[in-house]
Amino acid sequence: MSTPKTPEAMLAIAIEEARAGLAEGGIPIGAALFAADGTLLGRGHNRRVQDDDPSMHAETSAFRNAGRQRDYRTTTMATTLAPCWYCSGLVRQFGIGTVIVGESVNFDGGAAWLAENGVRIVDLRSDECIEMLATFIRDNPSLWHEDIGETDD
């Protein structure tokens, strides 16, 4: 596989991960972490359901799969959905410089906060990402609300 150079190519890897999570019976959110030159460092998807682990969000999975990095300032996190507050904290804690967002229509998370704090946000407003999550939310409202820490009553 060639090294992804564009935001769209980076997002395509995150979308593959989201589809994998959905196929496993989980929440369709995927992410991937890239070095400054576009080298894929790690990829992953939301595994909260599969692992019975509330902390295993897509960004967390990709971050863990990337292993230790000396510096994260020049890295890019591509994610199919705007990061929640938990994952936004991970981005800020480790100084990830850029976040490519597949969509922020169904959930805008902490993207504005990240931008206010110097993180470059590239929101691609991907129709594929919007539709994938909208369908999931419609079909699984309780699980979705659990994932974002809300009740659906």
Side-chain angles (χ1 to χ4, degrees):
M1 182 176 113
S2 63
T3 301
K5 298 290 186 189
T6 66
E8 293 79 10
M10 291 176 178
L11 181 61
I13 293 171
I15 290 171
E16 288 174 8
E17 287 293 326
R19 287 185 191 136
L22 184 60
E24 294 169 356
I27 300 164
I29 304 171
L33 186 67
F34 298 90
D37 67 356
T39 300
L40 177 63
L41 300 171
R43 59 191 289 166
H45 52 273
N46 186 303
R47 297 195 49 82
R48 294 181 71 253
V49 172
Q50 300 91 312
D51 295 350
D52 195 29
D53 179 351
S55 70
M56 192 45 73
H57 288 209
E59 296 88 345
T60 305
S61 179
F63 183 79
R64 287 179 179 174
N65 289 331
R68 288 176 57 201
Q69 304 297 313
R70 182 164 155 60
D71 184 5
Y72 293 92
R73 287 180 189 86
T74 62
T75 62
T76 296
M77 177 73 77
T79 180
T80 58
L81 181 66
C84 69
W85 288 107
Y86 170 69
C87 295
S88 293
L90 180 145
V91 168
R92 288 280 291 136
Q93 173 70 30
F94 291 94
I96 294 170
T98 301
V99 176
I100 296 168
V101 174
E103 70 112 334
S104 59
V105 172
N106 289 296
F107 180 76
D108 62 1
W113 177 75
L114 288 171
E116 289 168 7
N117 284 280
V119 177
R120 181 174 170 249
I121 302 295
V122 179
D123 191 340
L124 296 179
R125 294 176 179 82
S126 161
D127 289 338
E128 182 177 4
C129 291
I130 293 167
E131 179 59 32
M132 184 174 8
L133 194 60
T135 299
F136 181 83
I137 292 169
R138 183 193 68 226
D139 295 347
N140 304 277
S142 293
L143 185 55
W144 168 247
H145 287 111
E146 176 190 324
D147 191 61
I148 60 171
E150 296 179 358
T151 60
D152 61 344
D153 45 37

